[in-house]
Amino acid sequence: MKLPSPRGSLSDTLIGALGGASPLALAEPDDDEDLQLSLFICYELSYRSWDGVDDAWEWNLDMLRLRAGLEERFAAGLGRPEPADPETVPAALAAIVAADDGPSLSGYLRGRATHEQFREFVTHRSVYHLREADPHSWAIPRLGGRVKAALLEIQIDEYGGGAVHKMHQELFKQTMSWFGLDLTYGAHVGVVPAPALAVNNLMSYFGLHRARRGALLGHLAAYEMTSSLPNRAYANGLRRLGGDASATAFYDEHVEADAVHEQIAAHDLCGAFARDEPELAGQVLWGAKCALEIDNAWARSVLDAWASGGSSLRV
């Protein structure tokens, strides 16, 4: 992935250091755009990293100090987990999902979005979907027994059962291709605004810390439990705009797969995890709430931009 353009003094310093142009200095972000991009840059070092950047940066002590400071700022807006009865976690997750009253981006895309607006939506989502499942896979070595087996059952489907052409990451490229978008991993990081980066940063924040493994599982459960109906809407909206079977394959696949994953995530994954590690039961619910809140903030920003007649992307 190519390093993006900076969005403030901190991301400018960070990008300069990774590119070898200047030393890394600890600094404060100018605003949320600067913070979210800088945190995303730090996190990407633990994924596929950046073109021309030495792999040693992932564990550079100054880099880790900088990342920790950014994480502290990011986490300040997420609240804290509260104790929960492990026996009620599946029902509590269902209640959290049922109570979610976020904006219906999927409804807009199904019935009203223009071709350009849907293309913008796909551009936003490419940052996650081109590495879909990867953030949640950080939990695999941190679990055991029935909980690990449940997570693997979900993840195996996400990775296409070992068939490259069935991997959800690859299916999404078909949708991108229909819109004529660059399929390169991370190609659109530079044009998506802070709320979209925050969606991705939340997954990495949970995933890269063993101490937040419960929150990561709750995050995944929230995604699986709220996926089928929106993906049906996305597929129908794309068909309304003329999308063919290849273009809608990613969304059609999620309608069926996530209906099964929903039950696995709530009961076999999160329910079993809460019983095995009852002290983290509340963290599971917190992770689910954070997932929905951050996603809703992003959806709201997209719809607000369109309502004002503008683009939801950085131009």
Side-chain angles (χ1 to χ4, degrees):
M1 190 190 304
K2 294 181 179 179
L3 283 164
S5 299
R7 300 185 189 178
S9 56
L10 176 57
S11 53
D12 186 46
T13 297
L14 178 57
I15 291 167
L18 291 175
S22 58
L24 180 61
L26 298 181
E28 298 295 320
D30 293 342
D31 53 23
D32 198 46
E33 289 288 344
D34 199 24
L35 184 153
Q36 297 296 343
L37 181 63
S38 297
L39 188 54
F40 186 92
I41 290 170
C42 292
Y43 282 148
E44 182 56 31
L45 295 169
S46 294
Y47 289 94
R48 302 189 208 178
S49 196
W50 304 96
D51 294 351
V53 174
D54 192 322
D55 286 343
W57 272 110
E58 180 185 6
W59 293 101
N60 178 278
L61 293 181
D62 288 335
M63 175 64 67
L64 293 177
R65 291 189 191 97
L66 174 62
R67 194 185 90 179
L70 294 173
E71 287 179 329
E72 185 175 347
R73 281 177 170 268
F74 182 48
L78 299 177
R80 293 180 179 275
E82 299 177 355
D85 179 355
E87 295 299 326
T88 66
V89 161
L93 284 170
I96 289 169
V97 168
D100 180 41
D101 59 354
S104 182
L105 180 56
S106 63
Y108 184 91
L109 288 163
R110 180 188 62 235
R112 297 176 56 193
T114 65
H115 182 280
E116 183 56 33
Q117 288 172 337
F118 211 118
R119 188 175 190 271
E120 287 186 11
F121 166 73
V122 171
T123 300
H124 278 274
R125 297 301 286 167
S126 71
V127 179
Y128 166 56
H129 286 316
L130 290 183
R131 67 179 184 197
E132 184 172 350
D134 294 351
H136 297 111
S137 290
W138 290 111
I140 294 172
R142 296 165 179 165
L143 304 172
R146 56 185 177 172
V147 181
K148 175 176 282 191
L151 178 57
L152 283 169
E153 186 173 356
I154 294 172
Q155 296 299 83
I156 286 169
D157 282 348
E158 300 290 341
Y159 292 121
V164 174
H165 71 283
K166 293 182 179 179
M167 291 174 63
H168 292 181
Q169 298 175 6
E170 296 299 315
L171 288 175
F172 194 70
K173 289 181 180 179
Q174 297 175 193
T175 305
M176 295 178 67
S177 181
W178 190 79
F179 281 104
L181 293 167
D182 186 343
L183 308 185
T184 307
Y185 175 78
H188 306 288
V189 168
V191 299
V192 300
L197 294 179
V199 167
N200 291 273
N201 286 338
L202 181 66
M203 299 180 217
S204 298
Y205 174 62
F206 290 158
L208 289 170
H209 293 271
R210 181 181 178 277
R212 299 183 185 92
R213 61 196 180 278
L216 184 63
L217 299 186
H219 185 287
L220 176 59
Y223 267 30
E224 299 296 344
M225 295 172 73
T226 58
S227 177
S228 290
L229 292 179
N231 276 292
R232 187 185 302 278
Y234 299 146
N236 289 337
L238 193 47
R239 278 187 277 269
R240 174 179 60 82
L241 294 171
D244 57 19
S246 177
T248 65
F250 173 85
Y251 301 116
D252 291 331
E253 165 65 19
H254 279 74
V255 172
E256 181 176 349
D258 290 350
V260 177
H261 291 173
E262 175 180 351
Q263 297 303 314
I264 298 171
H267 296 275
D268 302 333
L269 181 66
C270 291
F273 174 81
R275 288 189 292 273
D276 288 351
E277 302 194 53
E279 70 281 5
L280 295 180
Q283 192 183 104
V284 173
L285 303 182
W286 174 64
K289 291 176 183 177
C290 289
L292 296 178
E293 288 173 4
I294 295 292
D295 268 44
N296 285 340
W298 163 71
R300 193 171 294 110
S301 72
V302 171
L303 289 171
D304 285 349
W306 292 343
S308 68
S311 170
S312 63
L313 300 174
R314 290 172 57 86
V315 293

